[in-house]
Each structure stands twice: as structure tokens, then as C-alpha cells.
Amino acid sequence: TRLDDGLVGKFLGMRELGYYVNAYFFASIPATHITFLLSGLIFPTYSHYNQHQEQLNSIFLRVLKVVSMFTIPASFGLLALSDEIASVLLGEIWIPMVPALKILVFFGLFRAIAGCTGPLLNAMGQPRIVFWIVLGKFIVIAAIIYPLTISYGIEGTAIAVTVPMVLEQVYLWFLISRFTGIPIQALIGQVIRPMLLAVTMYSLIMLLKIYLPLTSIPLFLIYILFGILIYGIGVLIFDKELINEIKSLKASKNMFEENGN
């Protein structure tokens, strides 16, 4: 997990490493600050229903939907404000990290989604499959990270860790469909609506930046609130069921906590 940091530091220097580490940190926020909140619930829930395939499938689709509804807009928000994260929030000295950040945003997005896909196979008694998939991803990263880093700098490093992560999740989805019987269309259906809402939010933020340049931290906060408002309105109009899904998962969490006590 630190192969990328090590190569950047050794071959590009500490300044580039600083840019890369900061870009990686911001890009990973959806995984480390959103999916993490559900991590204590996801695997126990899957395990609880692992003998009842139909119920397990239903739970997985609900979890995927909730995770997607939060992580996808967060990732697209980071993408829309990536330039300002460097120039306004951190300072102009950090602007060179922006190209890598824009690539790593997709790494962070798929890493966040991985938080609800990998545990499903583990709960179904298939940890070896997860192991081999992760090992394969590591081998691919190890094979491409050096030439890409040397040729394209930290942007190349970002590509080297992002592409295998995306391929890993695509393959996992096909495996999940195979083991659970859930059609691929159903999996895509859980992410397509938040994706469309997030793209709409992203477009409106970019449009607003044309007429109201983001040049200060107060404006940065206003932009965040604007994005949340736009996306929230979209959810209320097009996906009111999401609130019920969240309440249902929260009830499941309370049930496991009571059983644990």
C-alpha cells in the first residue's frame, strides 16, 4: 500500500512526494471518511444473511446504493473543486498536485465502492478469491508503476494505482453477479442515478465558477454547501427511497450492537 509513495520519493524527490501524498489524501476522503462509517456494519450484516441468498442479495444492493449515494457526489465534488483545493485551501505552492488529484479522485471513488463489494465475497465464504484478486492488482501495479512514474511523474503514479483499482472492481462485479445471481444491470442500476445526479452537481458547480470565481475560503465553503444543496434536492426529487434505506441500515446496526452487548 506504500509502493507508490516509496517510488515517488526515491525517483522524483520529496517535493513531488509531498504533492502526491496530499493528492492521495484528498482523493481518498470518500473511502476513509464515508465508507469507513459503514465498515463496522457491512460485513456483520452480510454474514448475518449469508445462509439466505435472496435476503443477502437485497441487503447488498441496498448497501451499494447507500454507499454510492454518498461517495459518488463526494468524489465529483472533489473533482470540481480540485484546483481550488490547491490554490485556495492549501496555497498556490500546491497547484502542481492538481493533475494527480484529478486522476486519483477515481481511485478514491472505486476504493470507496470496494468497501461494500469485497466484504460480500468474504461473507459468502470466498476469501481466497478476494486474496487472489488483490494479489493480481498488486502485480499489475508493480509492473506499470515504475515506467509510468518515470515517464509522467506523479500523474503516471496516479494512473498506475487507479487503473488496476477500476479493473479490480469491474471484475469483482462480474464475480458477484456469478456467485449471487444478481444481474449486472441491477448492480449498475444502484450507481447510475447517483452518478447522473453527481454529474449534474459537478456541471452546475463548474458553471457557477465562471460567474463567481472561487478565490477565498468562505467562498470555498459556500461552494461545498451549494453542491450539497443541489445534490440533496436531486435526491429528494428522484430518490426519496434513499432515506428509508439509510434508516433500515441504521436499524440493522442497532440490532447488531444490541446482540453484541
Side-chain angles (χ1 to χ4, degrees):
T1 59
R2 289 292 177 263
L3 177 64
D4 49 351
D5 293 352
L7 282 176
V8 170
K10 181 175 179 61
F11 294 108
L12 301 182
M14 298 306 294
R15 181 186 294 271
E16 294 296 309
L17 177 60
Y19 294 144
Y20 181 80
V21 169
N22 239 9
Y24 187 96
F25 167 78
F26 281 101
S28 297
I29 285 177
T32 57
H33 291 71
I34 297 177
T35 303
F36 176 78
L37 294 176
L38 293 172
S39 61
L41 165 66
I42 291 174
F43 181 73
T45 303
Y46 290 164
S47 298
H48 183 74
Y49 293 101
N50 68 350
Q51 300 299 320
H52 308 279
Q53 192 62 56
E54 186 174 341
Q55 289 178 299
L56 178 61
N57 291 356
S58 176
I59 288 289
F60 169 68
L61 290 174
R62 288 160 56 194
V63 169
L64 179 60
K65 179 178 181 179
V66 171
V67 168
S68 298
M69 274 293 181
F70 287 102
T71 58
I72 292 177
S75 295
F76 274 83
L78 286 167
L79 184 63
L81 299 176
S82 55
D83 291 287
E84 290 74 22
I85 287 174
S87 62
V88 176
L89 195 62
L90 300 178
E92 294 188 358
I93 192 176
W94 293 100
I95 289 178
M97 82 175 195
V98 172
L101 173 57
K102 289 182 177 180
I103 298 169
L104 287 170
V105 159
F106 296 97
F107 166 83
L109 171 58
F110 281 88
R111 180 185 174 191
I113 293 177
C116 64
T117 55
L120 178 65
L121 290 176
N122 286 332
M124 293 178 66
Q126 303 291 341
R128 290 185 179 181
I129 291 179
V130 177
F131 167 78
W132 288 113
I133 291 175
V134 173
L135 179 61
K137 180 179 69 174
F138 170 76
I139 292 173
V140 173
I141 292 174
I144 66 177
I145 192 170
Y146 175 76
L148 285 175
T149 299
I150 294 300
S151 299
Y152 302 105
I154 59 174
E155 292 91 337
T157 311
I159 293 171
V161 299
T162 300
V163 171
M165 175 62 75
V166 174
L167 294 177
E168 175 198 52
Q169 285 307 297
V170 171
Y171 184 55
L172 266 177
W173 277 28
F174 280 100
L175 284 181
I176 288 171
S177 178
R178 173 186 169 189
F179 282 108
T180 65
I182 300 174
I184 289 293
Q185 296 87 336
L187 297 175
I188 296 175
Q190 301 305 305
V191 302
I192 192 67
R193 188 173 295 172
M195 183 69 72
L196 292 175
L197 291 175
V199 169
T200 301
M201 178 197 71
Y202 170 85
S203 301
L204 291 175
I205 290 176
M206 299 303 291
L207 181 63
L208 181 61
K209 285 166 65 174
I210 296 175
Y211 298 99
L212 182 63
L214 208 171
T215 56
S216 66
I217 291 180
L219 273 177
F220 188 88
L221 298 176
I222 290 174
Y223 266 78
I224 292 175
L225 293 175
F226 174 75
I228 293 173
L229 178 63
I230 293 299
Y231 187 79
I233 291 174
V235 169
L236 290 176
I237 294 175
F238 298 104
D239 201 350
K240 295 180 181 179
E241 294 180 0
L242 176 64
I243 307 300
N244 294 329
E245 300 286 1
I246 295 173
K247 290 180 179 179
S248 177
L249 290 175
K250 184 177 180 181
S252 298
K253 181 177 181 181
N254 293 335
M255 179 188 72
F256 287 122
E257 288 177 349
E258 290 175 1
N259 290 340
N261 293 332

